[in-house]
Amino acid sequence: MEKEILYKYFEGIASPEEEDAVYRWLDASSENEGELLKEREFFDAMILAGSMEEDIAGKSVISGVIQVPLIRPWMRDVLKIAVAVAITVACGLYFYVSEKKEMLAAMNTVTVPAGQRVNLKLSDGTTVWLNARSEMVYPAVFSGTKREVKLDGEGYFEVEHDKECPFVVHTQKCDIEVLGTKFNVEAYSDSEEFSTSLMEGSVKVTDNAALSASVLLRPDQEVHFKDGRLLVSSIGDYDHFRWRDGLVCFNDVAFNELMKRFEKCYGISIVIENKNLEEYSCSGKFRISDGLDNALRILQRNAKYTFERNEDNSIVYIK
């Protein structure tokens, strides 16, 4: 870290970007904390030295010898106060550094209930939408060389560009690394399915079970995890991502596939006992907030079936 930036930080005249650089440097290594404290002590010593030079500015020269005025009792008290202030500042800085580290280490967790969605903005300006039954863990303040979050569920990310600090989404099956982009991730831990769909920029998707296996997506591409492999294809239907608007959209989708989407959305098991529905495909859209029963009643208009819930409402049987 350049000393000029540190001294500007000590004086309180550093820009927000320079302050952020100091925090990142500080968090990068425990050795940097000791270096910062030493530089602060040296900085305070220079301030004290400057004050003493000002005090002896009225010196006189006799026979080529500099005569330093005697330090009177009141001056000793001033110096004692100055030293005490310097020590206090150093101690205060130490505790501030410690608090800053605690703040950097603090993690937030957002859990989205079934049938709901959440929109939030992270400390770096990145915008995230979380779908129903999703959970994301993220730091209160990003630090270090990467911006990292953990996702269980489905999320749509609009990442602020920072080539020096990549954004990484950790999921159970794969990690997604980006610099600045828009993409959707579906990675529920209670499902075998995993997908990442890219709208803008580029993302690198890596299989956690085989770190050498990774793919680089271009816009309008998506990757699915199937049979232990990452398979890349073109995005077929962007309406699938309108869950951010509170909608479930589907076009010529098999009935059983639609029920799987409802299961994820509402956190409920759906058992299809009616064999006549195996060949049935449907199209349309529903507001998530209208609930599962409303969607099933509307679908009944074109498909003959009945449905009922078990006693604790955890399972829906379609007959």
Side-chain angles (χ1 to χ4, degrees):
M1 174 61 62
E2 297 179 7
K3 293 184 180 180
E4 181 181 355
I5 295 179
L6 286 179
Y7 294 163
K8 288 174 67 177
Y9 173 77
F10 297 154
E11 288 185 77
I13 60 174
S15 66
E17 292 76 16
E18 290 171 334
E19 288 184 357
D20 187 58
V22 171
Y23 297 150
R24 290 185 183 179
W25 170 77
L26 180 63
D27 191 64
S29 170
S30 59
E31 297 178 355
N32 293 344
E33 180 178 332
E35 183 178 343
L36 182 139
L37 292 174
K38 290 180 180 179
E39 290 297 334
R40 180 71 212 212
E41 292 174 357
F42 180 70
F43 178 81
D44 293 335
M46 287 195 302
I47 292 177
L48 288 175
S51 299
M52 292 181 65
E53 287 179 359
E54 291 176 0
D55 288 339
I56 64 174
K59 60 186 177 292
S60 59
V61 181
I62 301 177
S63 301
V65 179
I66 297 178
Q67 303 295 321
V68 180
L70 293 175
I71 299 179
R72 296 181 172 81
W74 67 269
M75 294 179 66
R76 294 178 186 276
D77 293 337
V78 170
L79 289 177
K80 288 179 181 180
I81 294 174
V83 172
V85 169
I87 294 174
T88 301
V89 170
C91 292
L93 179 65
Y94 174 80
F95 288 114
Y96 174 77
V97 167
S98 299
E99 291 175 0
K100 180 64 181 178
K101 279 186 168 291
E102 290 179 3
M103 182 176 70
L104 291 173
M107 302 298 287
N108 296 328
T109 301
V110 174
T111 302
V112 185
Q116 303 295 319
R117 66 192 187 284
V118 167
N119 174 227
L120 66 154
K121 181 164 286 190
L122 307 185
S123 62
D124 67 331
T126 291
T127 300
V128 183
W129 286 263
L130 295 175
N131 205 352
R133 299 177 51 247
S134 297
E135 180 178 281
M136 188 176 77
V137 180
Y138 63 98
V141 178
F142 287 112
S143 61
T145 58
K146 290 184 178 180
R147 295 169 288 168
E148 300 177 274
V149 302
K150 294 181 180 179
L151 174 68
D152 180 356
E154 184 170 15
Y156 183 92
F157 297 80
E158 292 186 356
V159 178
E160 284 293 307
H161 182 78
D162 185 350
K163 65 178 182 180
E164 303 297 332
C165 191
F167 192 97
V168 181
V169 180
H170 297 285
T171 73
Q172 187 177 64
K173 289 185 174 64
C174 300
D175 288 349
I176 304 96
E177 181 174 338
V178 305
L179 297 178
T181 186
K182 297 180 181 179
F183 62 101
N184 191 88
V185 178
E186 186 171 348
Y188 288 91
S189 60
D190 58 1
S191 171
E192 292 298 319
E193 297 180 9
F194 166 89
S195 67
T196 298
S197 306
L198 181 64
M199 289 69 182
E200 293 181 11
S202 64
V203 300
K204 178 182 178 183
V205 181
T206 303
D207 182 357
N208 292 332
L211 298 181
S212 60
S214 63
V215 297
L216 187 65
L217 294 183
R218 295 192 300 268
D220 302 321
Q221 288 186 330
E222 60 186 2
V223 60
H224 291 265
F225 193 85
K226 188 174 182 179
D227 299 327
R229 298 174 56 198
L230 293 172
L231 303 178
V232 178
S233 61
S234 298
I235 297 176
D237 185 5
Y238 275 89
D239 277 347
H240 180 74
F241 311 114
R242 293 192 65 189
W243 60 263
R244 291 180 296 146
D245 303 320
L247 299 174
V248 175
C249 302
F250 47 100
N251 182 32
D252 196 25
V253 173
F255 187 82
N256 65 321
E257 291 298 323
L258 180 59
M259 294 304 105
K260 289 180 181 179
R261 290 178 63 179
F262 284 156
E263 285 182 324
K264 292 178 182 178
C265 182
Y266 294 106
I268 193 170
S269 295
I270 301 177
V271 178
I272 303 175
E273 298 179 344
N274 189 334
K275 300 300 182 181
N276 294 326
L277 297 173
E278 292 180 356
E279 303 298 326
Y280 177 58
S281 296
C282 44
S283 301
K285 63 182 67 175
F286 296 112
R287 284 192 300 269
I288 296 174
S289 59
D290 288 342
L292 175 61
D293 287 10
N294 177 71
L296 292 177
R297 281 193 292 267
I298 293 176
L299 289 170
Q300 279 179 314
R301 297 172 184 174
N302 297 316
K304 294 182 179 181
Y305 65 84
T306 60
F307 65 93
E308 61 183 32
R309 294 173 178 261
N310 66 342
E311 293 183 358
D312 63 0
N313 289 322
S314 62
I315 303 175
V316 172
Y317 296 94
I318 297 180
K319 301 179 180 182

